[in-house]
């Protein structure tokens, strides 16, 4: 299984970025997906997760209304559209893949993720 994130970069406060995550080597549509982030010295935390069909999603309060998670099952790709970026959004962002029926649990239990990507750095300059 390979998980590869891309799309990170340096943006000013209020800017936008779109992260992508391509997954190969498994049945993409059969897995729950989520975005996580980790700042230096802190634990990796879930920020958004999405159901297998893509029709349902959960977000942590800090990104709700600013970030949108989506998936393209035909192309094995997960996205995170990030708008109105703030300095506190600066972190390494990771894509997580889990084979679970309880897709919503991915948000709060990163320890249950089956596969991780290498991460993509997002830096928001103030």
């Amino acid at each position: 299984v390979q998980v590869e994130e891309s799309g990170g970069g340096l943006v000013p406060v209020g800017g936008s970025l779109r992260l992508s995550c391509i997954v190969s080597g498994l049945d993409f549509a059969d897995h729950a997906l989520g975005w996580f982030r980790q700042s230096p010295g802190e634990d990796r935390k879930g920020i958004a997760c999405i159901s297998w069909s893509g029709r349902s999603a959960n977000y942590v309060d800090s990104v709700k209304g600013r970030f949108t998670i989506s998936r393209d099952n035909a192309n094995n790709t997960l996205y995170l559209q990030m708008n109105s970026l703030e300095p506190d959004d600066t972190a390494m962002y990771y894509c997580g893949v889990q084979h679970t029926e309880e897709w919503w649990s991915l948000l709060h239990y990163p320890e249950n993720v089956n596969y991780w990507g290498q991460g993509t750095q997002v830096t928001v300059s103030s």
Side-chain angles (χ1 to χ4, degrees):
V1 176
Q2 289 188 316
V3 181
E4 185 172 358
E5 303 95 336
S6 61
L10 175 64
V11 293
V13 171
S16 298
L17 280 175
R18 189 192 196 202
L19 305 184
S20 299
C21 173
I22 297 177
V23 183
S24 60
L26 50 70
D27 185 352
F28 185 82
D30 196 35
H31 285 71
L33 303 170
W35 285 101
F36 303 76
R37 65 187 182 188
Q38 186 171 21
S39 300
E42 296 187 6
D43 293 335
R44 191 172 300 183
K45 299 176 183 176
I47 57 172
C49 63
I50 192 167
S51 64
W52 319 279
S53 67
R55 286 193 288 266
S56 299
N58 279 357
Y59 300 89
V60 294
D61 287 346
S62 60
V63 306
K64 203 172 291 184
R66 300 188 298 122
F67 291 8
T68 303
I69 188 172
S70 61
R71 64 190 293 169
D72 179 351
N73 285 348
N75 291 296
N76 287 16
T77 305
L78 176 71
Y79 300 101
L80 185 68
Q81 178 66 44
M82 305 187 295
N83 300 327
S84 302
L85 283 162
E86 304 168 353
D88 284 350
D89 295 319
T90 295
M92 186 71 81
Y93 283 70
Y94 296 90
C95 172
V97 184
Q98 185 182 1
H99 188 216
T100 178
E101 293 183 357
E102 299 178 345
W103 63 268
W104 53 89
S105 69
L106 199 60
L107 193 64
H108 300 293
Y109 297 98
E111 62 270 24
N112 293 338
V113 167
N114 299 126
Y115 306 103
W116 292 105
Q118 81 290 346
T120 185
Q121 178 67 37
V122 173
T123 303
V124 184
S125 61
S126 57

